[in-house]
Structures are given as C-alpha cells and as structure tokens.
Amino acid sequence: MPVMQPGQVSAVPPEAETIEELFEALESPLLNYALRLAGDRAVAEDIVQEAFMKLHARYAQVREPRRWLYRSVHNLALNHRRDTGKIVALKPPTESYAPGIEAADTQPLPDEQIVRLEGIGLVRLSLKSLDERSQEVVRLKFNENLSYKEISARTGLTTGHVGYLLHHALKAVARELEKNGVTK
C-alpha cells in the first residue's frame, strides 16, 4: 500500500462509518473549525450540532459524509455571520429623547400567555420521558448554559458522548412535541 503524503486525499473511499463514529471522530475538529469561523464557542457548538442533525436526516444520500460535514459547518457559520451582521441594536427611548411618551405595554396578550404556558408544559412532559442521564445533560446545557466541555467535566462523559446524548434527546423531544401538535 503506498504511503500517503500530508495533504493527499486517498482515491480509495474509507469504509462506511456510522454517524456515531463520525461524531466521535469529527466533533472536536469541526468544533474548532466552527469556532474559527464564528468566533463564539456556544455558536460553534450549535453550528456543529445542526450540521450533524442535518447529516442524520439525509445520511443515506450523502456519499462523503466527512467532506459534507465540513462544508455544512462552513456554510452554517457563514450564514450565521451574515445574519448577525444584519442585526442593529436600537437604544430604547429615554425620557430626554421622547418626553411625555409612555412605553408600550410589553406583556403578551392573555391568549398568547396561555399558548406559551401550554407549550412549556408539553416540553417539560416531553423531557420527563427521557432517561435520567439525558435529562441531566439537557438541564446542564439549557438551564445552566454549560458548554459540552463543562458538561463533560461535570458528568464524566466524553464531549462527543455529551453531544450524542443531546442530539438524541432533542430529537426525542421534537418527536414528542410533533405528536402533540406543538410543532410540524
């Protein structure tokens, strides 16, 4: 078998990898790549997770999943940069800026509050259907806003396993919400 030089691409495709093997092998390099492009760790984690979720949805059609993942992370990061570049923060009016004008009521209407509370209740019920470890990982990610690395340190799981658990937990919650008519 010929020795490959750095930067060379093998003409022989690697054996088919499972999505779990791809996740274990590429999560860290993809996260570093996304971090260089997005400049924010939390955004980079979201980008990598979204790329893997998209791959999972069309895994059977993707011929070169490693290349596909890098291209997806690249495109998602650029989309994020483009979208966040359009956001312009506005300062709220101050009394000196708009004398005599009262601020509008920012409370949602009662029917909107009810719909929101029902949705929250359904999400909580869906989360309770997960196993304890998945519930803990979801709680650490979304309630305590921890990174994969921080969750890994706290739980003793690898960062790849944390991402895997989050991915499957969120898919299970989404399926449950879809069954209940919350999402399409």
Side-chain angles (χ1 to χ4, degrees):
M1 180 169 230
V3 176
M4 291 189 48
Q5 299 299 318
Q8 262 186 328
V9 178
S10 171
V12 179
E15 291 185 26
E17 295 175 285
T18 65
I19 197 156
E20 290 83 7
E21 291 169 334
L22 281 168
F23 187 82
E24 191 66 37
L26 294 179
E27 185 211 14
S28 241
L30 284 170
L31 191 56
N32 288 331
Y33 182 57
L35 184 57
R36 283 194 314 269
L37 293 171
D40 179 87
R41 183 152 189 92
V43 170
E45 288 172 355
D46 290 342
I47 287 170
V48 170
Q49 182 174 1
E50 185 175 347
F52 273 104
M53 289 174 68
K54 286 182 176 192
L55 176 63
H56 188 270
R58 44 178 90 81
Y59 191 66
Q61 294 87 29
V62 175
R63 290 187 322 149
E64 297 180 47
R66 287 175 176 255
R67 206 175 259 183
W68 189 95
L69 279 166
Y70 272 97
R71 175 52 56 195
S72 293
V73 166
H74 180 84
N75 290 341
L76 289 167
L78 292 181
N79 288 347
H80 173 77
R81 287 175 65 182
R82 182 190 63 234
D83 293 344
T84 56
K86 293 178 182 176
I87 297 172
V88 178
L90 297 176
K91 294 180 182 176
T94 60
E95 187 62 34
S96 61
Y97 175 74
I101 298 177
E102 293 183 30
D105 184 10
T106 58
Q107 291 293 319
L109 297 172
D111 57 335
E112 292 171 335
Q113 289 176 356
I114 290 170
V115 169
R116 183 175 180 275
L117 291 174
E118 285 175 348
I120 290 170
L122 287 171
V123 168
R124 286 187 177 149
L125 285 173
S126 299
L127 287 171
K128 286 185 181 183
S129 71
L130 300 173
D131 62 273
E132 283 186 39
R133 184 170 58 175
S134 295
Q135 285 182 31
E136 177 69 6
V137 170
V138 169
R139 185 186 65 74
L140 292 171
K141 178 66 180 161
F142 295 102
N143 289 6
E144 296 188 28
N145 203 23
L146 298 180
S147 68
Y148 285 25
K149 189 174 183 179
E150 292 167 325
I151 295 170
S152 173
R154 192 165 304 173
T155 61
L157 301 168
T158 65
T159 55
H161 198 186
V162 168
Y164 178 83
L165 287 173
L166 274 171
H167 169 77
H168 287 284
L170 294 175
K171 280 189 72 163
V173 168
R175 278 193 304 272
E176 196 65 31
L177 292 174
E178 190 173 333
K179 271 195 270 182
N180 290 315
V182 176
T183 62
K184 290 183 181 182

